[in-house]
Amino acid sequence: MSYQVDENGFYGEFGGAYIPEILYKCVDELRKAYLPVIESAEFQQEYRQLLRDYAGRPSPLYYAERMSRKYGCHLYLKREDCNHTGAHKINNAIGQILLAKKMGKTRVIAETGAGQHGVATATVCALMGMQCEIFMGKTDVERQHTNVERMRMLGAKVNPVTTGNMTLSDACSAAIRDWCCHPSDTYYLVGSTMGPHPYPDLVAKLQSVISEEIKIQLQEKVGRDYPDYLVACIGGGSNAAGTIYHYMDDERVKIVLAEAGGHGIDSGYTAATIHRGRTGILHGSKMLVMQTPDGQIEEAFSISAGLDYPGVGPMHCNMAKQGRTQVFAINDDEAIYAGYEMTRLEGIIPAIESAHAVAALSKMSFRPDDIVVLTVSGRGDKDVETYLKNKEMAKEYGNF
Ligand SMILES: *Cc1c(COP(=O)(O)O)cnc(C)c1O
């Protein structure tokens, strides 16, 4: 059983490329180009060099001693928070900007919600001297001001999107519309394992460096190259895809994912797409989508802007449906608590997205010799205000 994409771009019943006629040429050009390019020796040489010298890879695999004691297992943290720009998103942005250059594109567009993917894209465009335009919902432009200023400083044009709820989903739609108008010179740099085929596969492959490194680092540290558990948070699914990529078909490894429960999966304020979604089509792909009974997209809600998306990548829809992954919905208060806990026990402030993965630990039970690898997808500097505003959710740690 393989959970990889098939030749038609599907993961089981999910995935595919449901696109308007006008985009067919763009998507087909990308589909034909991506594997020959990213598998070429020249691409691999440039990509590996930038990952090492620019992004700072390999990211550490850190033995978290105090948290290991608390959870009664051997807990290792895969430190994507140590990367340049503060999260795993740079791995994908570096890979796709090299692909865009090889395809002869001169202009790059991207969507962003919290602004993390926008910043990663603006960063690699500055690095390569490429023209960059970011689409961002007007609501997000207002609540993520620092990231907007970072993108502008990096030379990107930020286009506030005023349709719909004016958030991530609307920004995706606006980027797709822009692409329709500029098919020949423009590369659309998608930020997660979503969108029409080949994007989910392309992004998963570019993030797979995470599990490639875990294999080598575990072998060095514990003398075997696989853990008993992998744990990651899941929004669109890219850091999770990278974390599990080289272990998907290895049944010795249990996979636990944490999606955003918001106020609770039955509260009406949630982003727990795998728990709440029904099969539908969103942004060019068949996936689980939170929708009303008549198929209107429902707005997602989570304290974490990076997990706040009404869909989830097709690879993960299939793996969850096949029972290969166990998915917990982590509520806002549980994530905040877990974020404080990691901060106080290990001196690492995780992104609130990553804190959802940490919170999953308290819902699991371990044997003392279990080896657990948890991916810290990003650092929490951007979230300090949110942590402080919600410190009553972590009374044990928030009493200051
Ligand atoms: C964007 C983001 C996520 C969610 O995206 P995935 O594609 O699901 O990984 C998680 N953590 C951080 C730090 C992010 O910036």
Side-chain angles (χ1 to χ4, degrees):
M1 176 80 209
S2 176
Y3 300 96
Q4 292 284 357
V5 73
D6 69 20
E7 61 279 9
N8 300 314
F10 280 87
Y11 300 84
E13 67 182 272
F14 301 103
Y18 296 84
I19 48 174
E21 194 60 33
I22 193 166
L23 272 188
Y24 181 81
K25 241 184 92 193
C26 298
V27 172
D28 199 49
E29 186 189 6
L30 180 66
R31 184 181 61 79
K32 288 187 178 122
Y34 86 111
L35 286 177
V37 170
I38 70 172
E39 287 168 1
S40 71
E42 186 183 299
F43 175 94
Q44 282 296 323
Q45 199 266 333
E46 288 176 64
Y47 174 59
R48 299 287 162 169
Q49 187 170 343
L50 284 173
L51 287 182
R52 188 188 66 217
D53 299 338
Y54 189 72
R57 304 201 72 89
S59 66
L61 184 70
Y62 164 71
Y63 181 61
E65 193 175 332
R66 296 183 69 202
M67 285 181 69
S68 292
R69 218 174 294 143
K70 162 149 189 188
Y71 289 104
C73 64
H74 297 285
L75 176 66
Y76 289 85
L77 304 178
K78 183 57 174 162
R79 301 284 311 276
E80 295 300 302
D81 59 309
C82 296
N83 297 338
H84 178 46
T85 68
H88 66 292
K89 289 205 169 74
I90 195 75
N91 306 328
N92 170 51
I94 289 174
Q96 286 199 56
I97 200 79
L98 291 174
L99 175 59
K101 262 186 27 178
K102 302 251 183 280
M103 291 175 70
K105 305 294 179 182
T106 53
R107 177 175 177 267
V108 171
I109 58 170
E111 82 296 338
T112 197
Q116 295 301 105
H117 175 56
V119 169
T121 303
T123 298
V124 295
C125 285
L127 176 68
M128 297 294 169
M130 297 263 255
Q131 193 190 334
C132 179
E133 286 193 38
I134 304 294
F135 293 87
M136 188 172 188
K138 187 165 167 282
T139 312
D140 290 330
V141 169
E142 283 156 12
R143 59 183 180 186
Q144 304 289 339
H145 198 67
T146 319
N147 275 341
V148 173
E149 296 306 322
R150 286 169 83 194
M151 288 182 255
R152 289 186 175 139
M153 182 164 174
L154 288 157
K157 180 162 182 270
V158 180
N159 299 312
V161 176
T162 54
T163 51
N165 299 317
M166 307 190 206
T167 56
L168 175 59
S169 195
D170 311 296
C172 291
S173 306
I176 291 171
R177 273 195 298 278
D178 178 283
W179 202 21
C180 291
C181 301
H182 307 89
S184 58
D185 67 338
T186 296
Y187 183 89
Y188 179 17
L189 207 160
V190 171
S192 188
T193 41
M194 45 173 273
H197 178 68
Y199 281 109
D201 187 45
L202 170 61
V203 177
K205 285 186 160 67
L206 294 174
Q207 292 290 1
S208 70
V209 64
I210 299 173
S211 49
E212 189 184 303
E213 290 174 3
I214 292 173
K215 281 196 136 180
I216 297 166
Q217 292 168 320
L218 269 185
Q219 184 67 47
E220 278 171 16
K221 286 181 200 300
V222 304
R224 68 176 218 220
D225 71 355
Y226 67 95
D228 298 291
Y229 291 93
L230 287 168
V231 186
C233 68
I234 180 168
S238 70
N239 88 87
T243 301
I244 68 180
Y245 194 87
H246 291 287
Y247 296 108
M248 274 192 262
D249 295 312
D250 185 342
E251 298 286 343
R252 297 171 300 185
V253 182
K254 299 180 211 56
I255 301 171
V256 173
L257 303 177
E259 63 176 1
H263 290 178
I265 58 172
D266 297 319
S267 66
Y269 295 90
T270 183
T273 318
I274 294 174
H275 283 83
R276 295 287 315 190
R278 283 184 298 120
T279 302
I281 289 165
L282 183 60
H283 301 131
S285 178
K286 190 184 274 186
M287 55 172 137
L288 294 171
V289 182
M290 297 206 309
Q291 50 189 306
T292 60
D294 59 348
Q296 296 298 316
I297 306 302
E298 285 181 325
E299 195 177 3
F301 181 93
S302 163
I303 197 164
S304 145
L307 303 181
D308 204 349
Y309 180 65
V312 58
M315 173 205 277
H316 297 292
C317 296
N318 181 49
M319 290 180 81
K321 184 163 182 197
Q322 307 287 336
R324 177 67 183 100
T325 52
Q326 183 179 13
V327 183
F328 290 110
I330 302 297
N331 295 346
D332 291 350
D333 56 343
E334 298 171 307
I336 293 286
Y337 182 88
Y340 272 94
E341 178 182 284
M342 175 169 277
T343 302
R344 295 298 173 89
L345 291 183
E346 300 293 344
I348 296 167
I349 304 177
I352 294 183
E353 291 84 1
S354 321
H356 285 70
V358 179
L361 293 173
S362 61
K363 300 187 184 286
M364 300 164 65
S365 53
F366 301 107
R367 289 175 314 194
D369 56 352
D370 277 340
I371 292 169
V372 181
V373 174
L374 183 149
T375 294
V376 182
S377 54
R379 69 174 83 117
D381 304 31
K382 66 183 177 61
D383 298 319
V384 168
E385 252 179 73
T386 311
Y387 277 126
L388 287 175
K389 230 189 289 171
N390 293 284
K391 65 182 181 186
E392 78 283 357
M393 293 177 179
K395 285 209 176 64
E396 184 182 340
Y397 298 108
N399 54 348
F400 45 84

